[in-house]
Amino acid sequence: MQRPLEGIRVLDLTVALAGPYGSLLLGGMGAEVIRVESPSGGDIARTNPPYVGDHGFHFGAPEEGDVSLTILNRARNKKSVTIDLKSAEGRALLLDLAKHADVVIENMSEGATGRLGVAYDDIAAVNPAIVYASIKAFGEPSIYPGTKGMDIIVQALSGIMDVTGFADGPPTRFGLPIADLLAPLYACNGILAALIQRGRTGKGQHVEVSMLDCLASLMAEEHFDIFSGAGYPTRSGNFTDRLVPFGVYETSDGHVAIVAFSPAWMRGLFETMGRPDILDDSRFATRGPRMKHASELNAMIQQWTRGHRTEEVVSLLIARQVPCGPVRTALEVLGDPRLRERGAVVELEHPRHGKVGATGMGLPIRFSAAQVGFDRPAEELGASNEAVFGGMLGLGAGEIAALKARGAI
């Protein structure tokens, strides 16, 4: 089957995670992604341990032929070319490539694209139909000048740490680089919307996404301002008091998540516990009083779950149609054969050694009439120089060699 984005060409000027994850998604949906990296070493992620090569995985200094596991994950379905954007020849080469592209995606630091001469206005001047996407930490110009846009800094400023963790504990970092992973999802939405609009108007545009904006917009999904004013803490740990019973409860061998806020689910839970009398207790009969006495109700439920194994709790509650599930470890999820069959997680491949026995991100979108996925391993730095500069721009082998000798590529 065809891929949804076949025929769309993307120039990828991104580094680290936020940008490369966005271009990874576009490549997985069929876009031709040409990743532009510095000839002096490429994406900083190429130096992330662990490395894998002739001698398997290791965390030491990289040896000849070793590739960072990070790159094997984030650079699939992309062609790698090298261009020194700080040189006049390199900038001219990039602008020539832009004439043949549909999309440019970048996540450079504030002001960098302008200094290099590859900002939206520069690209649009040679290709007015270009869709140019920028992923920034705090917008451009930044609303926090001088602040580095690292994921943990964005999490701190977004408020997500304030609502993560237990009420009597410190603010807690989300367990994944959520800002780096969320912003490219919005960027891809913006890119696809701009391509649709270009199909109607023939004109491209600049799409900008701020990592902080993305997290802050999600913060407003919960009405923390109103709940805080009523005396409820912003951090509630493993429980959501306004929906109690709703939370993670300890078992004799692990933990289980239970959701039972509807009358039918509550009855199923309490009858399974052998405590149908709880339904007649004025503290728990309706939602308002239940919120005020959430800690007492959660203690009753946890006393019961602690007396049973996780598997037993889940089996008993599913039989009563009460929503529940075991809290799985990261390794259990990454090794789940059902998730691998669906392509949510996949095995990574080295460009020369094949499958390496490590898990990578899949493309969790399924189409009825299109094929998606990551079927081409990450390329070594500059592996597509000849194919792209020769095939797309018509440069001869001598011209390409001369550009390399001068350090432009």
Side-chain angles (χ1 to χ4, degrees):
M1 289 187 288
Q2 287 191 336
R3 295 178 180 247
L5 295 183
E6 280 187 19
I8 298 296
R9 179 174 288 151
V10 178
L11 286 186
D12 178 4
L13 309 183
T14 66
V15 296
L17 176 53
Y21 184 47
S23 56
L24 176 71
L25 295 174
L26 297 174
M29 289 188 284
E32 178 190 7
V33 178
I34 300 172
R35 191 163 195 220
V36 178
E37 300 181 72
S38 169
S40 61
D43 185 352
I44 56 175
R46 288 188 179 271
T47 61
N48 286 355
Y51 305 99
V52 60
D54 294 337
H55 307 294
F57 292 101
H58 67 89
F59 289 82
E63 302 173 2
E64 181 68 27
D66 283 352
V67 180
S68 166
L69 185 60
T70 300
I71 287 297
L72 293 185
N73 199 8
R74 301 175 190 172
R76 291 167 290 166
N77 284 51
K78 302 178 186 181
K79 299 175 180 178
S80 174
V81 302
T82 53
I83 299 179
D84 180 7
L85 294 178
K86 295 180 180 179
S87 72
E89 279 189 306
R91 175 181 177 277
L93 200 61
L94 189 283
L95 292 177
D96 279 345
L97 289 176
K99 296 174 184 177
H100 303 274
D102 299 284
V103 176
V104 170
I105 181 170
E106 61 88 13
N107 66 329
M108 297 184 190
S109 58
E110 184 178 6
T113 57
R115 291 191 299 272
L116 294 171
V118 294
Y120 170 66
D121 289 342
D122 301 305
I123 303 296
V126 300
N127 183 356
I130 200 75
V131 171
Y132 187 107
S134 298
I135 301 175
K136 305 298 180 182
F138 312 114
E140 191 169 24
S142 171
I143 61 175
Y144 292 104
T147 301
K148 296 294 185 182
M150 311 305 292
D151 178 270
I152 193 170
I153 307 301
V154 177
Q155 286 196 36
L157 288 169
S158 73
I160 195 170
M161 288 186 180
D162 184 49
V163 302
T164 304
F166 292 88
D168 57 353
T172 304
R173 172 188 169 271
F174 192 89
L176 291 170
I178 188 64
D180 276 329
L181 292 169
L182 184 66
L185 300 181
Y186 282 99
C188 285
N189 278 339
I191 289 168
L192 298 178
L195 287 172
I196 292 172
Q197 184 175 351
R198 188 185 71 174
R200 297 195 303 267
T201 67
K203 297 180 180 179
Q205 60 185 297
H206 190 184
V207 176
E208 184 193 341
V209 169
S210 156
M211 294 162 63
L212 179 59
D213 289 350
C214 293
L215 285 190
S217 70
L218 296 188
M219 286 289 294
E221 194 280 329
E222 290 285 340
H223 302 291
F224 293 110
D225 46 357
I226 305 302
F227 287 119
S228 294
Y232 293 99
T234 53
R235 286 194 295 281
S236 56
N238 284 331
F239 303 100
T240 301
D241 288 352
R242 65 181 178 82
L243 295 174
V244 65
F246 188 115
V248 175
Y249 301 88
E250 186 180 356
T251 65
S252 64
D253 63 348
H255 293 82
V256 61
I258 299 173
V259 174
F261 57 81
S262 80
W265 296 341
M266 274 192 293
R267 179 172 297 278
L269 171 61
F270 298 147
E271 288 181 350
T272 303
M273 291 169 53
R275 293 292 310 276
D277 57 291
I278 295 177
L279 292 166
D280 300 320
D281 191 317
S282 60
R283 294 173 298 170
F284 312 123
T286 57
R287 180 172 289 186
R290 212 160 44 238
M291 289 176 63
K292 295 182 182 297
H293 297 280
S295 60
E296 300 164 66
L297 182 55
N298 284 326
M300 294 179 188
I301 298 170
Q302 186 145 275
Q303 183 180 14
W304 174 71
T305 58
R306 281 176 175 164
H308 303 272
R309 292 179 297 107
T310 300
E311 184 179 0
E312 184 181 7
V313 172
V314 171
S315 178
L316 288 170
L317 293 182
I318 285 181
R320 294 272 190 166
Q321 298 186 328
V322 178
C324 64
V327 177
R328 298 199 291 177
T329 67
L331 294 182
E332 286 174 331
V333 173
L334 296 179
D336 188 334
R338 294 161 296 189
L339 294 177
R340 287 178 176 265
E341 183 180 353
R342 291 180 60 82
V345 293
V346 297
E347 189 171 355
L348 294 176
E349 293 187 39
H350 187 283
R352 284 185 286 171
H353 300 294
K355 292 184 177 180
V356 297
T359 304
M361 298 176 287
L363 183 55
I365 308 173
R366 299 169 74 88
F367 294 84
S368 64
Q371 176 186 351
V372 298
F374 307 119
D375 54 359
R376 300 194 307 277
E379 291 189 352
E380 295 179 334
L381 184 63
S384 288
N385 278 359
E386 286 76 13
V388 171
F389 300 142
M392 191 182 304
L393 301 183
L395 299 183
E399 293 174 287
I400 294 173
L403 285 168
K404 184 174 182 179
R406 292 193 294 270
I409 63 173

